Amino acid sequence: MTTFKTLLLAAALAGPAMLAGGAAAAQVNGIAVADPEGAVANSKAWATARTQIQGTYKTQLDQATARRNAINTELQPLVTAYQRAAAAPGATEASLRPQAQAIQTKEQAANAELQRLTAPASRAQAYALEQISAKLPDAVNAAVRAKNVSLLLRPNAALFANPAADITSAITAELDRAVPSVTTTPPANWQPGQQQGAAGAAAATTATPAPATTTRRPTGR
């Protein structure tokens, strides 16, 4: 499943051209930093939507959590056996391949099962995030004007940035004004990316159990 950051990538790219780099200060020569994903994640609309989604789809999410734990329990003996075989004298990639493939096949089936269980919640999350992200470019522009910023960069693009240079909270405040709440029930024919015209949006994992199992995947020698 896609990460929260990936889900918001289209929104960030749709923003002003200056939201493309690193960091500095709104109070220092008109340069500032901002984390657009963080601004959306901290918005009141997203917090409310997450709570609603977790309540609405609690049964499915609890089932996914229980099933994921069970899958990890099922996989662990297979992984342990593989690790023993790999440590045995004379083990080769060819001799280990059947065990590795059996584990990988089971993992893939488990991930598909978990994705089916979490699909309704994931879809609702994507819909809520897309509504908030649609207002992100306007929120960035409003914060930039208010702070008199001439260059806005992403924090990871700067070697150093004074905390005073971060205007993420100002962007969140603008989002809260622009979109105080969102709907968490997508229309029947809705597909991620429709509202922003960006393809590839998918559900965030911040409220959904990750489908990937926690057992260590085997690798060949």
Side-chain angles (χ1 to χ4, degrees), residues 71-87:
I71 290 165
N72 287 338
T73 301
E74 294 168 11
L75 280 172
Q76 190 56 55
L78 301 180
V79 173
T80 300
Y82 173 89
Q83 291 170 338
R84 285 203 197 99

Side-chain angles (χ1 to χ4, degrees), residues 105-221:
T105 298
K106 195 172 184 66
E107 276 189 329
Q108 290 168 357
N111 285 341
E113 179 184 357
L114 293 174
Q115 285 174 352
R116 286 193 297 272
L117 286 171
T118 59
S122 295
R123 181 175 167 82
Q125 288 176 351
Y127 185 57
L129 282 170
E130 192 165 282
Q131 292 170 77
I132 302 169
S133 300
K135 300 295 184 180
L136 182 59
D138 290 341
V140 170
N141 279 323
V144 161
R145 287 194 299 268
K147 298 291 185 179
N148 196 27
V149 173
S150 58
L151 177 64
L152 183 59
L153 306 170
R154 288 181 178 272
N156 61 3
L159 183 62
F160 169 78
N162 190 304
D166 194 324
I167 66 167
T168 301
S169 60
I171 296 174
T172 296
E174 295 294 342
L175 282 173
D176 289 342
R177 278 190 283 273
V179 54
S181 63
V182 293
T183 303
T184 58
T185 304
N189 61 346
W190 174 83
Q191 294 297 325
Q194 284 182 345
Q195 286 185 249
Q196 294 178 33
T205 58
T206 48
T208 305
T213 55
T214 58
T215 51
R216 184 177 177 183
R217 252 180 115 172
T219 57
R221 289 173 67 87

